[in-house]
Every structure is written in C-alpha cells, then in structure tokens.
Amino acid sequence: MIRIGIFFGGPSREREISFAGGRTVYDNLDKSLFEPVPIFVDSRQNFVLLDWQYLYKGTIRDFFPPVEFRPASPNGLTVYRESLGEMDETDENEMISRVGRRVPLAELPALMDVAFLALHGLFGEDGQIQGLLESLQIPYTGSGIRACSIGMDKGFQKKMMEAGGFLTPKMHVFNREEWCSDNESGDGSDWYEELVSAIGLPLVVRPANQGSSIGVSIVRENDGLALVEAVNAAFFIQVLERETYLSWTAEERIQWLRELTDIRTGIGFPLKLMDRPAVFDHPEELLAFLEVHFQHEDNAIATLEGLNAEQTVIVEEFLDGREFSCIVLRNEDNSPVALPPTEIVKGGEVFDYRSKYLAGLSRKETPIRLPADQIEAIRRECERLFDFFGFACYARIDGFIKADGSIFLNDPNTTSGMLPSSFFFHQAAEIGLSPSKFLTYIVRTSLMERIRESPRLGLYDGLLAELDREINAQRLRQGRKKKVAVILGGYSSERHISVESGRNIFEKLSSSDRYEPIPVFLTGSPVGHRLFQLPINLLLKDNADDIRDKVLDHKKHPLIEKIKRQCQGITAKYASKHTVFEPKETSYEQLDKEVDAVFIALHGRPGEDGGVQRRLEALGIPYNGSSSGSSAVTINKYETLQRLKQAGFPVTDQLLLFRADFERNSDAEIERIERALPYPLIAKPVDDGCSSAVKLVRTRYQLSAWLKALFREAEDVPEELLQTLRLKPKEEFPRKEVALLERLIAKENAVHFLEITGGLLTRLLPNGEIAYEVFEPSEALASGEVLSLEEKFLAGEGQNLTPARFSPKKDLAEHERISAQVRKTLEEVARTLQVTGYARIDAFVRIFADGRVETIVVEVNSLPGMTPATCIFHQTALNGYKPYDFIDKILDYGMARARTASGAKS
C-alpha cells in the first residue's frame, strides 16, 4: 500500500483552512489504495507526525499549543504557537510530543512514498516546500517550484500576465516601506486623488501574497481615509485611537482583542507598535500596555502592526462583471482541460472567509450562466494561462468576465481549498469524480508530472507501476459492499448543515472497503416529502437550496456533456462504474429493495421528529439514531426538559408562547413572559437546533422584535428587525408557530461554571440490553452571547476544548471525578428519554465549593451534526474511534436493532 504524507497547517494566515483541508484529504483518500500519514507543519515550520486524534479538533488552537504550555490568560484568550515566543529545543520537543512526534527532515522519506500538499500560502504555495521535497527525492502533488513561486505573488503574476497578452486590471503596487514613509499625512491626501484619477472607483485593495480573501476589501467611497484603512488592513496594520479605546467597556476591549488575535480577520500576534522595538507575543501583554498607554493624553493613537506581515499590497480596478473560478486539470494526453467554470453568485460584497466556507451563505452556479461560446472562451483562456505559467496536475484560476465579453484572470492558484464544498471537488464532480476518486487522480497525475520533470530517469517509475496495479485490482473488487442510502437535505432552517453532514457521511463511507453509499436528497414540506437519488455533481453543490432547484428542474447542460467527453480518459480510469449523472426520484419502498441500511443525516424537521424513522421501521429498513418514539420527544425542547423535570433532573424555567396568542394581544403576552422570567432570557424556536434563531434577549424591545421575526408572514426578516436583532447576512431565522422562552442558566453561587456538549454511542449486548458509551464532553466557548452556527460547524471558527476544563486548577483526579459525574448524568438522561444509537446532549455544568456537581441539560439532539468540524468527532477520537469507525459503529447498532426487531416480529 502506498503511503501518502499529507502536509497541512503551516505558518500562513490560511493555516486553519489548510488544517481542515488536510483532514478532508486524510478522510477521503481511498483506504484500499493508500495509507494516509498526517504531517502537521507548525508555524515554526517544524514537521510533526501528528497523532491522528488531533485531526478531528475544530481548529489548530484547540490542540496546539497544548493547554499546559499556554500562558495564563485571565480573559480566556486563545493563541497560536507564535505567542509562546522563543523556546529552547528541549522545551519545544516536549511541547510537540504532547500531540505527536517531531520528525527530522532526513526522516521524511522513510515515512512516505508521496507527499500530498494541502498547505496554503507561505511555505505551501511559494515553492519552498516543493524545493525541500525535491531535495529529499519525495514526489509531491501539484505544480513544481517555478510555477508555485510565480503563482504566489499576485503583483508579479499580473506583470507576467500582461506581458503574455492577458487582460489585467489597472493597478498600483505599494511596498511596505513606500507606504509607511509616503503616507505622512495619515489621511491619504498625499496620493489619493492621483490614484483615483488613474484607476477610478471602486478600488479593490488586497495583499499580494494571501489567499481565502484574507485582507481584501473594496473601497467605494470618495474618501482617502477609507482607502488608508483598507491599505493598512492589507498590510496588517491597525490604528487604534485613544478616544475610541477609552469609550469601550471592558467587555468590548476583550472582544476587540479576540478579533485582533484572529489571523484571518485581525493582524494577529506577535505584533508591535510601529516605531517601537518592543514586541507583544500575547494579547494579555498588549491589553496591560494599552491600559497604561492611553492614560496619558499625549498618546492619541497606537499604531499596531502584525509581525506575520505583508510586504506588498495591490490597489486595483474593481472589475464590474461576473466572477468565476475554474479548475484546470492535466488530461491523460498531457494537455490542459478546464472543468466547467463556477460563478460566485453574490451582491457587491467581498467573497470572504465566512461566505466561502460556511454552508448556505453563497451560491455557486456550475457552469456559469452564460452562452456556451462565452463559457468556452473562459475555459480556453484558463487553459492558456495554465500552460503559460507551466502549472502541473491542477490549478484553480479565478477571474471576471465583463458585459462586453472581455475576460480578466486575476488570481491563478497552484492549490485550492480542499473542504468538501470547495471548487476543487465541486467541479470535479461534474465529470463524475467523487472526492475520493479525484484525490486518486491527483496522486497519480502528480506522479506522472514528477516523472516528466525529474532529471533522473526512472526515479518514480516503480511507484507509478505499483499504483496502477492497485487501481486495476480495485476495479475488480467493486460490487461487494453493503449499500447505504444517506438521506440529507430537508426543508428546515438546518437543511444546509444537513447537506454538510450527509456529504461528510457519504465521503467517509466512500473511502471505506465495506460500504457503498448512495446519496438521497429529501425535499418537500411538512405536508409531504419526496426522495431523489443524487448524482455526485448535485451532492457537491454548495447548499440545500441549490440541490433542490437542480433536482426539481434538472437539465443536461450541453457544455458539461462536452467536457465529460473531453475527460473520458480521466473518468475511465478513476470514476466508479456505478456513477450516475441525473437525479432519480425514489421512495422508501424502492430503498427497501436497493439498500442494506439508511443513514439519516437530516436535522430538525423532518428527521429528528421521528417521521422518517416511522417509515423505515414499517419496512424493516435499518437506520441510525433513536427510534421514532424517542425522536418525537427530543425534537421538542419544551417536552424534553419537562420530562426530565418529572424524572428529577434539574432544568431551567420554560414558557411557551403561541403565535395566535401573540397576534391576539402582544402586549399581554410579553407582560406574561416578563412576570415569569427575568431579563436577560433565552429565546429560541421550540423545535429547531443548530443555534437557529437562538438569541439572548436583554430588553422588552428586543423580545418584541424577536417574536415578530419568528412569527412573521413573509419569508425574509424585515430590515428593521434584522438591525435590532443584529443578524448576520443570510443568517437563517425560521418562521414558527411556537416560541420557547427560557430562564438564562447562570453561574449563580457555583465556583466554576461551563457550557458543555457530550456525545454518546450505544451497542446491543447479547442479552438484548443496551450499553451506553458516553464520551468525554467538550467545553463550548462562545465568542458572543450564545454559541453560533459558525462556531458549531465552520472549520477554523469555533473553539471546543475536549476534554472540557472541569478542573480549572488542572487537577487530574478532580477532573476525572467531575467528568464521571457529568457523564453519568448524561447517560441517565439518555436512558430516561430512550435515546439510542448515538446522540449529542448540550448542558451547563455548575461545580460548587463543597464539590457538588450539577448538570443542567439544555437540549438533546438525536441526529447530531456530523460535519467535519463538529466536536463529536473530537470526543470519539479520545476513545479510539476515527470518524469512519464511529459511523461504522452507528450503522452496526442500527442493523443489529433491525435484526432484533425482525426476530421479535417473527
């Protein structure tokens, strides 16, 4: 079996998306062909053979630096390795040993046969790592040294492209020294008018060497100060005014520091004050300094600059056109072939990190909605640029097409984000390649590229021959696997997360040697729903609404048919024999004939309410999760807690409010709530999860706005309510008939208080009893007032510490004592509610001075989110389960339960 060293992390600001991409590659590599070897590259460019459990943390900061090596932070600020400053080699090795093993450079060839590069930016796309691997004679994926070094610097790229006859926007390039010395006035007046005259408004400002839209902004106003702020942001410089700082509350200062620490949106640490030598490694050091610095009236500003900086910033013409991204592959005949370009559907906003990677926030149309001749023109231009720069294996090329048909290619990338919904997999699916099959293509084609480039003949020929033998043998083994229908989608506010969960389950099962997953999309309404078997290209569409629209109005696109023919050499070698290209309506009765089991990846209604389970139970089809009866209870947060209250568990006070009563007399209903519950209180839908519409309400005004939004008639939330509730763009806010109001669970007189989420798994014993395995809970850290959708499911966003910090003093015995009590309570809750299969239980924990532990359950999720970043995988990893192993156990239980039920009936 060929060993694939997956390199991820790195020193760049894109390290979190690289970490998530590395996990995607690790999970999706075909395990019958490859053995994945996770190589975490830390921010000091150390190579770490990572213990696989840490791959399933939500962010790098969740595990590195390890908790015991982090400086104390009274304000709970989490940091990257850089904030630890210089360490001697012994201490650094000791720190690394807590998460894996530091690997000397010379040992890398002994660990792997091929390097798969999921790194971004510095030491990933700039040719450095490529050169290092070539010196070690390790073949690697993607482009070679020269193409990578060109592909990294956007300013140099554009000069070369202009020389090569490609259209480029008007632009001006600032180097850091020029910017800091020439902008003496601080308001941009020294050069602003000249720049606007030469380029025009709006202006796009971007760092020359960053990706994932980091540091990018659009300046629309005729305002020099706005441009100064944008260029500063692109150089990772921030000017903080004394007046502003002193106007903030202590809480607002801490929130500002959190944002400053985030290397994707803030300048990050370490940082320094411009024109001062002192370096601040940790945000607490900066906070202490600013508290003193701004006490002096002479200190009107503090100009901060991140040491993880940018030397070149581009200010360029805003291209008013259709934005697209196109993956170009090396075809079997060695010619470049562009896949169908994808249009990024948005308004005038920047396509930022959140929009790129959180399901449901953006729409991607593949192919771009243009006449065939214009799409072909885009493809030809992308193929020409691929050859011009000497890219190898694959590249992602972004650009714009203007109304007059002119094509501007503005961002060629030698690598691509590798999350499941990325362009990388999205477009490959259009020719019939699943993520697992596409990764096999990348490995083999990269081997071919290294053979062509290597000055030493025959260096990798044996490795290529071995891989070809394994691929041929694999094709003969197809058809012996258990078929599992993965049902995803739905029509609730959680439908986009359901797609992410279902896609993740599909991909984990696809890379196994035991299961053949079949994606099934559910759509409709509470009155009735329809099931459709999905082709892989629809499964990898960006969100549930996109999939639904394509399913209900499916049309073959002639251009995609043409591209599929052009790629026949690729698909004949790599695609599954069972690949389908059109959605097919199906039914539960049909599934009974075609599959061995069903994995329900739905969230909210339908799915968690027992409706789907009842249909499957009637046919005797095995499925995951709790029974229909238990699911019908746990979908309702009010009924769940009331049942627990009757069983003697501590729960918060609750109050239901029905829409009809609110519309009849809103003032009286609000007064009724206020008599029962003090502000602040928690407002939430009674039967939705994933933080949809869950808000901390502080005033009557906010409560009224929240209820009006929940009980609204129209699909969209009115603008005035959006502002009052401070909803993010495109944030899901469902319409409901019933609202649930709850007393805020607070610390009260406890000495320690934390929010946790705990997962569990069940198995059937030979005597028919159910055994519960409750995992170590995670501590959920909310950046705002409640845990957000992003923090639960967006890679690199949330902070979940696993195991939870039950003992702030890091007393292991005390931790074990408290954890055991919490897990015992969670098991008792699950047994009381007859929760089986697997589940996630959210709760708050109070720990008192006398050692007493109180666990207050908030909700029970019978079909918890199974996205790659969800914390249930962090918990199962501690018990030795990789995600696939966990999913396998879930299916085993469902099949055993169905066999038991069938035996009881007979």
PDB file of all heavy atoms in Angstrom, residues 708-733:
ATOM      1  N   LYS A 708     -41.676  39.034  16.701  1.00  0.00           N
ATOM      2  CA  LYS A 708     -42.207  39.460  15.404  1.00  0.00           C
ATOM      3  C   LYS A 708     -41.467  38.760  14.267  1.00  0.00           C
ATOM      4  O   LYS A 708     -42.073  38.387  13.252  1.00  0.00           O
ATOM      5  CB  LYS A 708     -42.086  40.978  15.257  1.00  0.00           C
ATOM      6  CG  LYS A 708     -43.061  41.762  16.127  1.00  0.00           C
ATOM      7  CD  LYS A 708     -42.813  43.261  16.015  1.00  0.00           C
ATOM      8  CE  LYS A 708     -43.755  44.050  16.915  1.00  0.00           C
ATOM      9  NZ  LYS A 708     -43.441  45.508  16.870  1.00  0.00           N
ATOM     10  N   ALA A 709     -40.165  38.597  14.425  1.00  0.00           N
ATOM     11  CA  ALA A 709     -39.380  37.920  13.384  1.00  0.00           C
ATOM     12  C   ALA A 709     -39.765  36.444  13.292  1.00  0.00           C
ATOM     13  O   ALA A 709     -39.913  35.891  12.203  1.00  0.00           O
ATOM     14  CB  ALA A 709     -37.890  38.065  13.670  1.00  0.00           C
ATOM     15  N   LEU A 710     -39.925  35.786  14.431  1.00  0.00           N
ATOM     16  CA  LEU A 710     -40.257  34.361  14.434  1.00  0.00           C
ATOM     17  C   LEU A 710     -41.657  34.123  13.876  1.00  0.00           C
ATOM     18  O   LEU A 710     -41.893  33.132  13.178  1.00  0.00           O
ATOM     19  CB  LEU A 710     -40.161  33.803  15.855  1.00  0.00           C
ATOM     20  CG  LEU A 710     -40.193  32.275  15.971  1.00  0.00           C
ATOM     21  CD1 LEU A 710     -38.858  31.678  15.535  1.00  0.00           C
ATOM     22  CD2 LEU A 710     -40.530  31.832  17.386  1.00  0.00           C
ATOM     23  N   PHE A 711     -42.592  35.016  14.171  1.00  0.00           N
ATOM     24  CA  PHE A 711     -43.998  34.835  13.777  1.00  0.00           C
ATOM     25  C   PHE A 711     -44.351  35.606  12.502  1.00  0.00           C
ATOM     26  O   PHE A 711     -45.527  35.791  12.191  1.00  0.00           O
ATOM     27  CB  PHE A 711     -44.917  35.300  14.907  1.00  0.00           C
ATOM     28  CG  PHE A 711     -44.816  34.474  16.174  1.00  0.00           C
ATOM     29  CD1 PHE A 711     -45.019  35.062  17.413  1.00  0.00           C
ATOM     30  CD2 PHE A 711     -44.525  33.118  16.126  1.00  0.00           C
ATOM     31  CE1 PHE A 711     -44.939  34.312  18.579  1.00  0.00           C
ATOM     32  CE2 PHE A 711     -44.449  32.366  17.291  1.00  0.00           C
ATOM     33  CZ  PHE A 711     -44.645  32.960  18.522  1.00  0.00           C
ATOM     34  N   ARG A 712     -43.364  36.037  11.746  1.00  0.00           N
ATOM     35  CA  ARG A 712     -43.616  36.868  10.561  1.00  0.00           C
ATOM     36  C   ARG A 712     -44.340  36.062   9.484  1.00  0.00           C
ATOM     37  O   ARG A 712     -44.282  34.825   9.454  1.00  0.00           O
ATOM     38  CB  ARG A 712     -42.290  37.403  10.011  1.00  0.00           C
ATOM     39  CG  ARG A 712     -41.404  36.327   9.395  1.00  0.00           C
ATOM     40  CD  ARG A 712     -39.999  36.850   9.089  1.00  0.00           C
ATOM     41  NE  ARG A 712     -39.188  35.851   8.399  1.00  0.00           N
ATOM     42  CZ  ARG A 712     -38.539  34.858   9.006  1.00  0.00           C
ATOM     43  NH1 ARG A 712     -38.607  34.729  10.322  1.00  0.00           N
ATOM     44  NH2 ARG A 712     -37.824  33.994   8.293  1.00  0.00           N
ATOM     45  N   GLU A 713     -44.974  36.772   8.568  1.00  0.00           N
ATOM     46  CA  GLU A 713     -45.664  36.146   7.443  1.00  0.00           C
ATOM     47  C   GLU A 713     -44.709  35.891   6.274  1.00  0.00           C
ATOM     48  O   GLU A 713     -44.716  34.824   5.673  1.00  0.00           O
ATOM     49  CB  GLU A 713     -46.807  37.050   6.966  1.00  0.00           C
ATOM     50  CG  GLU A 713     -47.987  37.128   7.919  1.00  0.00           C
ATOM     51  CD  GLU A 713     -48.854  35.868   7.870  1.00  0.00           C
ATOM     52  OE1 GLU A 713     -48.648  35.046   6.966  1.00  0.00           O
ATOM     53  OE2 GLU A 713     -49.717  35.725   8.745  1.00  0.00           O
ATOM     54  N   ALA A 714     -43.882  36.912   5.963  1.00  0.00           N
ATOM     55  CA  ALA A 714     -43.014  36.837   4.782  1.00  0.00           C
ATOM     56  C   ALA A 714     -41.804  35.946   5.048  1.00  0.00           C
ATOM     57  O   ALA A 714     -41.424  35.707   6.193  1.00  0.00           O
ATOM     58  CB  ALA A 714     -42.562  38.236   4.384  1.00  0.00           C
ATOM     59  N   GLU A 715     -41.195  35.489   3.955  1.00  0.00           N
ATOM     60  CA  GLU A 715     -40.007  34.641   4.088  1.00  0.00           C
ATOM     61  C   GLU A 715     -38.829  35.414   4.672  1.00  0.00           C
ATOM     62  O   GLU A 715     -38.119  34.929   5.536  1.00  0.00           O
ATOM     63  CB  GLU A 715     -39.633  34.077   2.703  1.00  0.00           C
ATOM     64  CG  GLU A 715     -38.410  33.161   2.723  1.00  0.00           C
ATOM     65  CD  GLU A 715     -38.650  31.875   3.505  1.00  0.00           C
ATOM     66  OE1 GLU A 715     -39.803  31.385   3.519  1.00  0.00           O
ATOM     67  OE2 GLU A 715     -37.681  31.381   4.114  1.00  0.00           O
ATOM     68  N   ASP A 716     -38.625  36.654   4.193  1.00  0.00           N
ATOM     69  CA  ASP A 716     -37.490  37.451   4.645  1.00  0.00           C
ATOM     70  C   ASP A 716     -37.823  38.207   5.922  1.00  0.00           C
ATOM     71  O   ASP A 716     -38.952  38.685   6.109  1.00  0.00           O
ATOM     72  CB  ASP A 716     -37.079  38.449   3.560  1.00  0.00           C
ATOM     73  CG  ASP A 716     -36.559  37.745   2.311  1.00  0.00           C
ATOM     74  OD1 ASP A 716     -36.012  36.623   2.442  1.00  0.00           O
ATOM     75  OD2 ASP A 716     -36.715  38.302   1.206  1.00  0.00           O
ATOM     76  N   VAL A 717     -36.821  38.334   6.783  1.00  0.00           N
ATOM     77  CA  VAL A 717     -36.983  39.115   8.007  1.00  0.00           C
ATOM     78  C   VAL A 717     -36.944  40.596   7.633  1.00  0.00           C
ATOM     79  O   VAL A 717     -36.036  41.032   6.914  1.00  0.00           O
ATOM     80  CB  VAL A 717     -35.857  38.796   9.010  1.00  0.00           C
ATOM     81  CG1 VAL A 717     -36.016  39.629  10.279  1.00  0.00           C
ATOM     82  CG2 VAL A 717     -35.846  37.310   9.343  1.00  0.00           C
ATOM     83  N   PRO A 718     -37.925  41.405   8.085  1.00  0.00           N
ATOM     84  CA  PRO A 718     -37.924  42.840   7.769  1.00  0.00           C
ATOM     85  C   PRO A 718     -36.623  43.508   8.207  1.00  0.00           C
ATOM     86  O   PRO A 718     -36.021  43.135   9.219  1.00  0.00           O
ATOM     87  CB  PRO A 718     -39.122  43.379   8.563  1.00  0.00           C
ATOM     88  CG  PRO A 718     -40.026  42.198   8.716  1.00  0.00           C
ATOM     89  CD  PRO A 718     -39.121  41.011   8.841  1.00  0.00           C
ATOM     90  N   GLU A 719     -36.210  44.515   7.447  1.00  0.00           N
ATOM     91  CA  GLU A 719     -34.922  45.153   7.654  1.00  0.00           C
ATOM     92  C   GLU A 719     -34.765  45.716   9.069  1.00  0.00           C
ATOM     93  O   GLU A 719     -33.715  45.575   9.698  1.00  0.00           O
ATOM     94  CB  GLU A 719     -34.730  46.281   6.625  1.00  0.00           C
ATOM     95  CG  GLU A 719     -33.371  46.962   6.688  1.00  0.00           C
ATOM     96  CD  GLU A 719     -32.209  46.018   6.377  1.00  0.00           C
ATOM     97  OE1 GLU A 719     -32.391  45.101   5.559  1.00  0.00           O
ATOM     98  OE2 GLU A 719     -31.128  46.185   6.973  1.00  0.00           O
ATOM     99  N   GLU A 720     -35.827  46.332   9.605  1.00  0.00           N
ATOM    100  CA  GLU A 720     -35.695  46.935  10.933  1.00  0.00           C
ATOM    101  C   GLU A 720     -35.477  45.879  12.018  1.00  0.00           C
ATOM    102  O   GLU A 720     -34.779  46.107  13.006  1.00  0.00           O
ATOM    103  CB  GLU A 720     -36.925  47.799  11.263  1.00  0.00           C
ATOM    104  CG  GLU A 720     -38.247  47.036  11.420  1.00  0.00           C
ATOM    105  CD  GLU A 720     -38.980  46.833  10.102  1.00  0.00           C
ATOM    106  OE1 GLU A 720     -38.353  47.040   9.039  1.00  0.00           O
ATOM    107  OE2 GLU A 720     -40.176  46.474  10.153  1.00  0.00           O
ATOM    108  N   LEU A 721     -36.058  44.681  11.809  1.00  0.00           N
ATOM    109  CA  LEU A 721     -35.857  43.593  12.775  1.00  0.00           C
ATOM    110  C   LEU A 721     -34.452  42.994  12.627  1.00  0.00           C
ATOM    111  O   LEU A 721     -33.838  42.592  13.615  1.00  0.00           O
ATOM    112  CB  LEU A 721     -36.916  42.507  12.585  1.00  0.00           C
ATOM    113  CG  LEU A 721     -38.373  42.948  12.786  1.00  0.00           C
ATOM    114  CD1 LEU A 721     -39.317  41.756  12.610  1.00  0.00           C
ATOM    115  CD2 LEU A 721     -38.563  43.571  14.160  1.00  0.00           C
ATOM    116  N   LEU A 722     -33.955  42.931  11.398  1.00  0.00           N
ATOM    117  CA  LEU A 722     -32.581  42.456  11.183  1.00  0.00           C
ATOM    118  C   LEU A 722     -31.592  43.291  11.991  1.00  0.00           C
ATOM    119  O   LEU A 722     -30.679  42.755  12.635  1.00  0.00           O
ATOM    120  CB  LEU A 722     -32.215  42.545   9.701  1.00  0.00           C
ATOM    121  CG  LEU A 722     -32.787  41.504   8.744  1.00  0.00           C
ATOM    122  CD1 LEU A 722     -32.420  41.862   7.311  1.00  0.00           C
ATOM    123  CD2 LEU A 722     -32.264  40.118   9.073  1.00  0.00           C
ATOM    124  N   GLN A 723     -31.790  44.604  11.957  1.00  0.00           N
ATOM    125  CA  GLN A 723     -30.868  45.502  12.647  1.00  0.00           C
ATOM    126  C   GLN A 723     -31.015  45.381  14.159  1.00  0.00           C
ATOM    127  O   GLN A 723     -30.019  45.334  14.887  1.00  0.00           O
ATOM    128  CB  GLN A 723     -31.108  46.942  12.194  1.00  0.00           C
ATOM    129  CG  GLN A 723     -30.776  47.171  10.722  1.00  0.00           C
ATOM    130  CD  GLN A 723     -31.094  48.582  10.260  1.00  0.00           C
ATOM    131  OE1 GLN A 723     -31.514  49.431  11.051  1.00  0.00           O
ATOM    132  NE2 GLN A 723     -30.906  48.845   8.969  1.00  0.00           N
ATOM    133  N   THR A 724     -32.248  45.298  14.629  1.00  0.00           N
ATOM    134  CA  THR A 724     -32.474  45.185  16.075  1.00  0.00           C
ATOM    135  C   THR A 724     -31.867  43.903  16.627  1.00  0.00           C
ATOM    136  O   THR A 724     -31.255  43.886  17.705  1.00  0.00           O
ATOM    137  CB  THR A 724     -33.980  45.212  16.389  1.00  0.00           C
ATOM    138  OG1 THR A 724     -34.536  46.424  15.895  1.00  0.00           O
ATOM    139  CG2 THR A 724     -34.226  45.107  17.891  1.00  0.00           C
ATOM    140  N   LEU A 725     -32.023  42.809  15.885  1.00  0.00           N
ATOM    141  CA  LEU A 725     -31.540  41.502  16.343  1.00  0.00           C
ATOM    142  C   LEU A 725     -30.087  41.258  15.961  1.00  0.00           C
ATOM    143  O   LEU A 725     -29.520  40.225  16.329  1.00  0.00           O
ATOM    144  CB  LEU A 725     -32.420  40.391  15.757  1.00  0.00           C
ATOM    145  CG  LEU A 725     -33.891  40.440  16.180  1.00  0.00           C
ATOM    146  CD1 LEU A 725     -34.707  39.426  15.387  1.00  0.00           C
ATOM    147  CD2 LEU A 725     -34.018  40.173  17.673  1.00  0.00           C
ATOM    148  N   ARG A 726     -29.493  42.191  15.210  1.00  0.00           N
ATOM    149  CA  ARG A 726     -28.093  42.099  14.775  1.00  0.00           C
ATOM    150  C   ARG A 726     -27.795  40.756  14.095  1.00  0.00           C
ATOM    151  O   ARG A 726     -26.858  40.052  14.436  1.00  0.00           O
ATOM    152  CB  ARG A 726     -27.159  42.332  15.968  1.00  0.00           C
ATOM    153  CG  ARG A 726     -27.195  43.765  16.476  1.00  0.00           C
ATOM    154  CD  ARG A 726     -26.184  43.999  17.552  1.00  0.00           C
ATOM    155  NE  ARG A 726     -26.550  43.325  18.794  1.00  0.00           N
ATOM    156  CZ  ARG A 726     -25.845  43.399  19.926  1.00  0.00           C
ATOM    157  NH1 ARG A 726     -24.733  44.100  19.943  1.00  0.00           N
ATOM    158  NH2 ARG A 726     -26.241  42.780  21.003  1.00  0.00           N
ATOM    159  N   LEU A 727     -28.659  40.430  13.139  1.00  0.00           N
ATOM    160  CA  LEU A 727     -28.471  39.186  12.396  1.00  0.00           C
ATOM    161  C   LEU A 727     -27.386  39.381  11.337  1.00  0.00           C
ATOM    162  O   LEU A 727     -27.291  40.442  10.722  1.00  0.00           O
ATOM    163  CB  LEU A 727     -29.776  38.758  11.723  1.00  0.00           C
ATOM    164  CG  LEU A 727     -30.961  38.466  12.644  1.00  0.00           C
ATOM    165  CD1 LEU A 727     -32.155  38.002  11.829  1.00  0.00           C
ATOM    166  CD2 LEU A 727     -30.603  37.410  13.694  1.00  0.00           C
ATOM    167  N   LYS A 728     -26.592  38.338  11.114  1.00  0.00           N
ATOM    168  CA  LYS A 728     -25.554  38.383  10.099  1.00  0.00           C
ATOM    169  C   LYS A 728     -26.178  38.210   8.719  1.00  0.00           C
ATOM    170  O   LYS A 728     -27.288  37.692   8.595  1.00  0.00           O
ATOM    171  CB  LYS A 728     -24.524  37.276  10.351  1.00  0.00           C
ATOM    172  CG  LYS A 728     -23.747  37.460  11.643  1.00  0.00           C
ATOM    173  CD  LYS A 728     -22.827  36.283  11.891  1.00  0.00           C
ATOM    174  CE  LYS A 728     -22.079  36.439  13.195  1.00  0.00           C
ATOM    175  NZ  LYS A 728     -21.253  35.254  13.516  1.00  0.00           N
ATOM    176  N   PRO A 729     -25.463  38.623   7.666  1.00  0.00           N
ATOM    177  CA  PRO A 729     -26.005  38.431   6.312  1.00  0.00           C
ATOM    178  C   PRO A 729     -26.356  36.967   6.061  1.00  0.00           C
ATOM    179  O   PRO A 729     -25.564  36.073   6.333  1.00  0.00           O
ATOM    180  CB  PRO A 729     -24.860  38.896   5.404  1.00  0.00           C
ATOM    181  CG  PRO A 729     -24.085  39.852   6.247  1.00  0.00           C
ATOM    182  CD  PRO A 729     -24.178  39.337   7.647  1.00  0.00           C
ATOM    183  N   LYS A 730     -27.572  36.730   5.554  1.00  0.00           N
ATOM    184  CA  LYS A 730     -28.059  35.401   5.196  1.00  0.00           C
ATOM    185  C   LYS A 730     -28.161  34.446   6.390  1.00  0.00           C
ATOM    186  O   LYS A 730     -28.216  33.236   6.218  1.00  0.00           O
ATOM    187  CB  LYS A 730     -27.189  34.783   4.098  1.00  0.00           C
ATOM    188  CG  LYS A 730     -27.148  35.619   2.815  1.00  0.00           C
ATOM    189  CD  LYS A 730     -26.309  34.959   1.743  1.00  0.00           C
ATOM    190  CE  LYS A 730     -26.215  35.851   0.507  1.00  0.00           C
ATOM    191  NZ  LYS A 730     -25.359  35.275  -0.541  1.00  0.00           N
ATOM    192  N   GLU A 731     -28.177  34.987   7.603  1.00  0.00           N
ATOM    193  CA  GLU A 731     -28.339  34.123   8.776  1.00  0.00           C
ATOM    194  C   GLU A 731     -29.747  33.523   8.768  1.00  0.00           C
ATOM    195  O   GLU A 731     -30.738  34.225   8.588  1.00  0.00           O
ATOM    196  CB  GLU A 731     -28.119  34.924  10.062  1.00  0.00           C
ATOM    197  CG  GLU A 731     -28.247  34.087  11.332  1.00  0.00           C
ATOM    198  CD  GLU A 731     -27.923  34.880  12.582  1.00  0.00           C
ATOM    199  OE1 GLU A 731     -27.223  35.913  12.475  1.00  0.00           O
ATOM    200  OE2 GLU A 731     -28.381  34.485  13.662  1.00  0.00           O
ATOM    201  N   GLU A 732     -29.812  32.202   8.971  1.00  0.00           N
ATOM    202  CA  GLU A 732     -31.103  31.522   8.974  1.00  0.00           C
ATOM    203  C   GLU A 732     -31.926  31.949  10.192  1.00  0.00           C
ATOM    204  O   GLU A 732     -31.427  31.941  11.320  1.00  0.00           O
ATOM    205  CB  GLU A 732     -30.908  30.005   8.995  1.00  0.00           C
ATOM    206  CG  GLU A 732     -30.416  29.424   7.681  1.00  0.00           C
ATOM    207  CD  GLU A 732     -31.510  29.373   6.625  1.00  0.00           C
ATOM    208  OE1 GLU A 732     -32.686  29.544   6.973  1.00  0.00           O
ATOM    209  OE2 GLU A 732     -31.178  29.149   5.448  1.00  0.00           O
ATOM    210  N   PHE A 733     -33.170  32.319   9.953  1.00  0.00           N
ATOM    211  CA  PHE A 733     -34.088  32.678  11.042  1.00  0.00           C
ATOM    212  C   PHE A 733     -35.453  32.119  10.648  1.00  0.00           C
ATOM    213  O   PHE A 733     -36.183  32.721   9.869  1.00  0.00           O
ATOM    214  CB  PHE A 733     -34.152  34.192  11.236  1.00  0.00           C
ATOM    215  CG  PHE A 733     -34.646  34.594  12.603  1.00  0.00           C
ATOM    216  CD1 PHE A 733     -33.760  34.998  13.590  1.00  0.00           C
ATOM    217  CD2 PHE A 733     -35.999  34.542  12.921  1.00  0.00           C
ATOM    218  CE1 PHE A 733     -34.202  35.361  14.853  1.00  0.00           C
ATOM    219  CE2 PHE A 733     -36.452  34.895  14.171  1.00  0.00           C
ATOM    220  CZ  PHE A 733     -35.554  35.312  15.147  1.00  0.00           C
TER     221      PHE A 733
END
